[in-house]
Amino acid sequence: MIPAASRMVHVGGVSRDARRRSSGAGIGAGLIAASLLVGSIAEAQTPDGGVTLPELAVAGDARPSQPWGLVSAGIARDAGTTVSSVGRNGPIDDRPAADIGTVLLDSPGVTTRPGNGGRDVIISIRGSNARSTRVTRNLVVLEDGFPLTQPDGVSRFDLADPHAYAGIDVFRGPQSARFGNYATGGALAFHTRSGGSIDGYEIGSDTGSFGSLSRYFTVGGASGPVEISLFASDARGNGFQDHASYDTQTVNLLATYTPTPDDRFVLKVIDNDVDADLPARSSLNQFRINPYQRGCAAAASAAPGCTLTNLPRNGAFGPTVGVTADEGGFRRNDRRSILGARWEHDFDAETTGRAQVVLDERNFDQPFYVNSVRGSYPSINLLADLTRRTDFFGLPAVASVALNYSTIDIHATTFNRAPYGGPRLGALIGDIDAEQSNLGGRARTEVALSDSWTGVFGFGLEKSGIAGRSLAYAYSAAGRTTTRTEADRSFLNLAPELALVYRPNAEWAFRGRAATGYATPTASNLFVTVAGLPGNNTGLRTQQDLGFDLGADWTPWAGLRVSLTTFYEFFRNELVAQSPGPGLLAYTFNVPASEHRGIELGADWAFAPGWRAVAAYTYDDQIYTRFTEQLSAGAFVARFDRAGNAIPGVPANQLLLRIGYDEAAGPWQGLGGYVETVVQDGVFVDAANRLTVPGYAIVNANLHYGRPLTGGYAKRIAFYVELRNVFDMVYAASVQNLTNTISARTGSENGAGILAATPGSIVAGAPRNVVCGMKLSF
């Protein structure tokens, strides 16, 4: 993003630096007039380095500014916001971070799951997305102020190479008042390294078990009004399971041009291509026998516990044949291309406006399991906002208004899979053609009520629409039948937010927050039936949540920071996805009422010279409070009350604990290491809570060394080696929720034994492995 003169605004009431700060692009006299009435948020960035616990004042620094609104990033860490940050020092610099999930575990409230090949991970904040296994939903993702979440609410992390980043902010809890649609769980704001901080170039390589190899380089610098940073990487591996190789390339560019002190132009380019083979998901019984699906090249000679997927012999209907992942050629080839541009202008020392446009294309070819989905999802995202720093009835205040419009063109086809011969397509069974658009506005004001008290009020109003049609095809000996489903849905959502912070002294800050979030269904949700096939599911409603946070932050001295947050969130019409059977498409349904409540604890303690301990703990208790599930089989239809049951897929307890030492001086300066453990509870697989997949505790050990170089062209060298899963724990890293069933003979609900034998649910985590790497800076 754009380096700009920093502006420090303490809304806690003490000081205010009048220097200008970059804040984005706003246009239109009407928007300016509205801004003068409402004002704006002063944006703040998080300094790079370490795990930073929530800061409650609006404080700027030399880090690049970023826009507010749906595409905010750097986003104001204002009073009452529950936010934590992960810096480059440690989680990224000192370890071979293969994917972004490895890094984000440093933040309380975050759960990660392996996705579908390569660097793909599924990220959840407060369990909001823990049930998904294909894409990340219910949170908004931004990079350098540009949205990585498309207008249909989908985020993927194939394109996120941790080596590229200076830091990541994690906003927890409902955030639609500032980020708009789909921010029911929170938001992630990625910050790439600035050209000035790189000031040269860096090359690196990580290699390790299972044929993993990652090569990358970064180049950056600043000259006069121009600052550029460019990152590129190539990552590949064989995977620790049969049929799990991957190959992905990423290019990431950030360029800034500052022709005058009042104008800044920013260009952002990201391009990622991923090609990955996918192993089959197993049942719990198969996982216990053959967790890594080895010896599963061919069904005729398959080892015990291999998962077979039944595909129609003729690719359309009739008799099926069971195939392994190799025989089915399960794979995915996806490409993501993002082009963003922003203009920022300072009207005066207190008023800044911005305009931003982002073009985003998601193209995918995914012939895995019983269906193959192909699609192209081009989108455009427009933002205009204005900030104003002023007084409110004599009190220091910052405020802002923002307008945002986004639209996505959705076209996807679904085919049956045909057995053998690689990823061979069968008959066309679905064709979706739709458009989704979101038009919204947001306003926010933060006021220093006294030297100790700060108040924040904000709200967002957004209208979303989905219009399109789905064609579903069914085949039999008599021929093909076609079912056409039309959708023309409109959703209007309002999201207020209110926060209050009390700072009695420099050591303590107490905060309270009430906020709302919303997430509309997407076209893909509307056109998948409960049978896991293309069809009519157009009755879905908007997911809404009302959340309350109470927290305290304690910094008694420079070496200790502790943050404790309790949250209680009430959901209405929560969108829940689950699988109707092995290999079928996951379908989405509304749960009328549910509750999420828990505790988040973060701590960073330098308890002795060179020693440091980091902890991130989450307790997350999620239950249905009103939900009756209807199941059918044969001639029977039965209804079951799930109220009081735990929501499946969400671990109640998760802990990251890391203890390490770094030599700060002397001949061994730069040498360090740490041991960490990641502990996670088991999870229920089904809404009836009949089957549990066990939890796990993973231990990792790291040794690293880095030091500056003198007398040559190179400036710094770094080495690291990491032993992961030291005790070779066999564990389920990803679990797809399963639908409960009833007996077609008796009508009674089937027990845990049936679910434990149902394939299509579990992917194992990596066994013991070692990865090492080096970096050289010039």
Side-chain angles (χ1 to χ4, degrees):
M1 283 293 301
I2 304 171
S6 65
R7 169 193 299 253
M8 186 73 76
V9 180
H10 288 289
V11 202
V14 182
S15 66
R16 189 174 172 177
D17 186 339
R19 289 178 297 171
R20 290 184 196 160
R21 180 178 176 172
S22 152
S23 289
I27 53 176
L31 186 56
I32 296 173
S35 167
L36 295 175
L37 293 175
V38 183
S40 143
I41 294 179
E43 298 193 340
Q45 309 290 336
T46 324
D48 294 340
V51 176
T52 305
L53 301 178
E55 298 174 355
L56 301 177
V58 175
D61 57 32
R63 210 181 192 184
S65 65
Q66 302 166 349
W68 181 82
L70 179 62
V71 290
S72 70
I75 314 166
R77 302 172 114 252
D78 58 1
T81 299
T82 305
V83 55
S84 52
S85 296
V86 180
R88 185 173 181 83
N89 181 27
I92 298 176
D93 255 345
D94 297 336
R95 74 185 310 172
D99 58 57
I100 207 66
T102 306
V103 175
L104 285 173
L105 286 177
D106 281 49
S107 174
V110 174
T111 303
T112 67
R113 298 272 188 270
N116 289 318
R119 284 196 304 257
D120 190 32
V121 293
I122 308 300
I123 296 174
S124 167
I125 301 177
R126 292 184 176 176
S128 61
N129 195 60
R131 296 168 290 277
S132 176
T133 57
R134 286 181 179 250
V135 295
T136 294
R137 297 187 183 275
N138 297 327
L139 57 91
V140 170
V141 184
L142 311 110
E143 182 169 311
D144 297 324
F146 298 92
L148 301 188
T149 299
Q150 284 200 299
D152 64 344
V154 168
S155 302
R156 294 206 83 128
F157 294 95
D158 302 293
L159 75 172
D161 190 320
H163 298 101
Y165 298 120
I168 307 164
D169 294 331
V170 181
F171 293 80
R172 311 197 298 272
Q175 300 283 346
S176 289
R178 42 193 333 184
F179 301 117
N181 202 358
Y182 302 112
T184 51
L188 296 174
F190 293 88
H191 312 282
T192 56
R193 301 170 68 186
S194 65
S197 67
I198 299 167
D199 192 26
Y201 61 95
E202 178 183 280
I203 58 173
S205 178
D206 301 343
T207 185
S209 303
F210 316 118
S212 65
L213 174 63
S214 174
R215 296 167 291 184
Y216 57 93
F217 78 86
T218 305
V219 59
S223 178
V226 177
E227 183 172 17
I228 296 177
S229 64
L230 173 66
F231 172 84
S233 69
D234 173 83
R236 57 192 64 199
N238 299 325
F240 54 88
Q241 304 184 75
D242 276 4
H243 198 74
S245 64
Y246 63 90
D247 185 357
T248 181
Q249 292 77 41
T250 301
V251 175
N252 196 323
L253 170 72
L254 180 67
T256 301
Y257 175 55
T258 310
T260 73
D262 294 329
D263 292 283
R264 295 160 297 279
F265 297 89
V266 186
L267 175 68
K268 182 71 179 180
V269 178
I270 306 176
D271 189 70
N272 170 259
D273 184 84
V274 59
D275 195 353
D277 291 335
L278 302 184
R281 287 181 172 270
S282 64
S283 68
L284 181 58
N285 291 345
Q286 291 166 332
F287 168 77
R288 288 167 173 160
I289 298 169
N290 191 351
Y292 306 117
Q293 291 293 289
R294 292 173 180 165
C296 299
S301 59
C306 287
T307 299
L308 301 182
T309 302
N310 293 320
L311 303 181
R313 290 183 179 274
N314 64 7
F317 67 96
T320 62
V321 58
V323 299
T324 65
D326 273 315
E327 291 173 322
F330 301 156
R331 59 182 293 273
R332 58 180 283 253
N333 178 234
D334 292 8
R335 190 179 190 95
R336 185 79 178 273
S337 300
I338 297 172
L339 173 63
R342 178 168 59 250
W343 169 51
E344 306 183 353
H345 177 70
D346 296 332
F347 294 98
D348 55 41
E350 300 298 332
T351 309
T352 301
R354 335 164 238 230
Q356 177 170 289
V357 58
V358 177
L359 306 177
D360 186 345
E361 160 75 5
R362 183 168 100 244
N363 193 284
F364 53 91
D365 180 8
Q366 300 176 343
F368 58 88
Y369 310 142
V370 300
N371 303 125
S372 174
V373 183
R374 293 179 169 182
S376 175
Y377 284 24
S379 68
I380 185 169
N381 195 307
L382 306 174
L383 170 76
D385 69 2
L386 198 68
T387 65
R388 176 76 177 174
R389 301 149 188 88
T390 184
D391 292 337
F392 181 76
F393 293 105
L395 300 173
V398 289
S400 71
V401 290
L403 295 176
N404 179 250
Y405 174 76
S406 62
T407 184
I408 184 168
D409 186 18
I410 298 166
H411 184 222
T413 52
T414 304
F415 297 83
N416 274 335
R417 287 298 322 281
Y420 311 119
R424 196 159 60 93
L425 299 185
L428 175 68
I429 61 171
D431 187 334
I432 294 176
D433 194 355
E435 180 180 349
Q436 178 171 343
S437 60
N438 307 288
L439 175 63
R442 285 166 291 283
R444 194 175 188 85
T445 302
E446 180 171 349
V447 182
L449 303 174
S450 70
D451 288 349
S452 301
W453 290 90
T454 303
V456 178
F457 173 72
F459 70 90
L461 180 67
E462 188 167 9
K463 182 177 182 180
S464 300
I466 303 174
R469 61 101 181 112
S470 169
L471 301 176
Y473 304 99
Y475 299 85
S476 68
R480 186 179 80 173
T481 60
T482 303
T483 302
R484 182 184 181 96
T485 303
E486 301 278 353
D488 189 0
R489 299 291 309 277
S490 181
F491 309 90
L492 183 63
N493 293 289
L494 175 66
E497 177 184 0
L498 183 65
L500 194 63
V501 171
Y502 174 56
R503 285 181 174 271
N505 52 50
E507 295 182 7
W508 285 96
F510 301 92
R511 50 194 159 79
R513 177 176 180 263
T516 53
Y518 56 86
T520 62
T522 67
S524 60
N525 299 149
L526 299 179
F527 297 129
V528 178
T529 71
V530 295
L533 297 171
N536 190 342
N537 194 29
T538 57
L540 293 176
R541 300 179 179 180
T542 297
Q543 169 179 286
Q544 297 176 318
D545 64 330
L546 169 63
F548 299 92
D549 284 17
L550 288 175
D553 300 277
W554 183 46
T555 312
W557 57 81
L560 176 62
R561 289 172 291 174
V562 179
S563 176
L564 178 65
T565 303
T566 63
F567 63 89
Y568 209 124
E569 299 171 0
F570 299 88
F571 277 74
R572 294 294 179 267
N573 296 313
E574 183 171 4
L575 293 167
V576 175
Q578 63 186 23
S579 170
L584 295 171
L585 297 172
Y587 70 92
T588 301
F589 62 96
N590 287 117
V591 171
S594 54
E595 294 179 4
H596 304 182
R597 56 272 181 107
I599 298 171
E600 297 163 332
L601 173 66
D604 192 340
W605 184 22
F607 57 91
W611 289 92
R612 181 186 178 199
V614 174
Y617 169 72
T618 305
Y619 170 70
D620 191 359
D621 180 30
Q622 298 192 8
I623 62 168
Y624 299 121
T625 54
R626 185 159 48 90
F627 175 35
T628 300
E629 186 175 25
Q630 180 172 301
L631 304 175
S632 60
F636 295 97
V637 176
R639 295 171 63 86
F640 300 92
D641 185 5
R642 307 302 191 196
N645 287 9
I647 298 177
V650 181
N653 292 278
Q654 179 170 290
L655 170 69
L656 168 81
L657 179 61
R658 180 184 301 123
I659 299 177
Y661 176 81
D662 285 276
E663 186 67 30
W668 295 105
Q669 181 180 355
L671 179 65
Y674 58 78
V675 176
E676 69 177 11
T677 183
V678 177
V679 182
Q680 191 172 108
D681 266 355
V683 296
F684 290 111
V685 176
D686 61 307
N689 292 175
R690 291 182 176 272
L691 183 67
T692 303
V693 172
Y696 57 85
I698 305 300
V699 175
N700 304 317
N702 173 284
L703 185 66
H704 54 267
Y705 176 73
R707 65 177 303 157
L709 299 176
T710 57
Y713 292 105
K715 295 186 295 187
R716 189 176 188 275
I717 192 168
F719 301 92
Y720 41 75
V721 60
E722 188 160 302
L723 181 62
R724 297 170 175 167
N725 195 357
V726 173
F727 300 107
D728 203 21
M729 165 74 71
V730 177
Y731 67 102
S734 176
V735 181
Q736 168 72 62
N737 292 347
L738 297 175
T739 304
N740 291 102
T741 58
I742 62 174
S743 169
R745 185 173 57 86
T746 66
S748 60
E749 188 170 12
N750 291 319
I754 298 295
L755 292 168
T758 303
S761 180
I762 296 175
V763 172
R768 183 190 298 121
N769 65 98
V770 62
V771 185
C772 59
M774 69 167 291
K775 292 181 290 188
L776 195 60
S777 302
F778 297 88

